[in-house]
Amino acid sequence: MTVAVSSYAADLDMLEADQTSMAISQKHLSAKELAMRHSQASLMLMDELELDKVMVTTPLMFAVLVATVRQFLVGYNIGVMNAPEKVVFPGHTTGEWSIAVAAFCFGGPFGAYFAGTLAETRGRRGALLICTWTFLLGGWIQTTAPNMLAIIISRLIIGLASGISTVIVPIYLGELAPPTLPS
């Protein structure tokens, strides 16, 4: 299939070059020039098509999937606190619940601020691993929380992880992308 596509595109290139030559110099290209142009274009196109096919690998797709799941976690953690308000620690005040919800927003900017330094000192992959463990720690504390203070602390930790994720994931994906794929 690759050979057929590159041959067809090379034929089109050869015809265009011949028409351009005819328009400029009122002469067609010689058979040797046409054959050489066709051969060069076909080889270049085949190389590009083969390179693209090799660059998108299963480990690359898995790494992209894992990195983008972190961005899903950011959106999920923004809205997750709305549904269980009535059943989580009945008797909490509106102020306590407001602080628990707002703690996420307080942790986010701090995570974003420190994410660049984290990426430079630990590397992109290391920063993503730290981000993952921070998400897990916040989720574990939130799941096992005995009181509203633990919920507030867990939301702060999850906000910190979300801030880190917001900075690190685009950097990681940009550096991970093969140069042959458009950004």
Side-chain angles (χ1 to χ4, degrees):
M1 181 68 171
T2 303
V3 174
V5 170
S6 64
S7 179
Y8 177 72
D11 287 341
L12 292 176
D13 180 66
M14 183 181 65
L15 289 173
E16 183 181 354
D18 189 46
Q19 288 175 352
T20 304
S21 175
M22 184 66 176
I24 293 173
S25 65
Q26 303 299 323
K27 287 196 234 174
H28 288 285
L29 293 175
S30 69
K32 183 179 178 184
E33 291 171 322
L34 288 173
M36 187 159 44
R37 177 132 186 140
H38 184 274
S39 175
Q40 288 174 342
S42 181
L43 284 175
M44 279 187 355
L45 289 166
M46 279 179 49
D47 283 346
E48 282 188 31
L49 290 171
E50 291 296 321
L51 187 62
D52 285 347
K53 187 168 64 175
V54 171
M55 295 304 286
V56 180
T57 61
T58 302
L60 172 66
M61 290 188 294
F62 183 72
V64 169
L65 176 70
V66 169
T68 53
V69 164
R70 283 169 184 78
Q71 290 306 95
F72 166 77
L73 287 173
V74 172
Y76 174 77
N77 282 303
I78 287 172
V80 74
M81 292 300 285
N82 295 330
E85 178 187 0
K86 305 277 190 252
V87 294
V88 175
F89 303 115
H92 63 269
T93 66
T94 303
E96 288 174 327
W97 194 258
S98 299
I99 292 170
V101 172
F104 176 88
C105 299
F106 189 73
F110 288 104
Y113 179 76
F114 293 114
T117 305
L118 190 62
E120 291 300 317
T121 58
R122 302 286 184 180
R124 298 341 178 222
R125 184 173 176 269
L128 280 174
L129 287 172
I130 291 170
C131 179
T132 300
W133 284 106
T134 308
F135 268 123
L136 288 172
L137 174 67
W140 179 74
I141 293 172
Q142 191 168 345
T143 301
T144 61
N147 55 33
M148 280 303 291
L149 179 61
I151 294 280
I152 292 169
I153 292 169
S154 71
R155 293 288 292 168
L156 183 68
I157 292 170
I158 291 171
L160 186 75
S162 295
I164 294 170
S165 174
T166 302
V167 173
I168 298 297
V169 168
I171 295 171
Y172 181 71
L173 292 178
E175 291 179 358
L176 191 66
T180 59
L181 295 178
S183 339

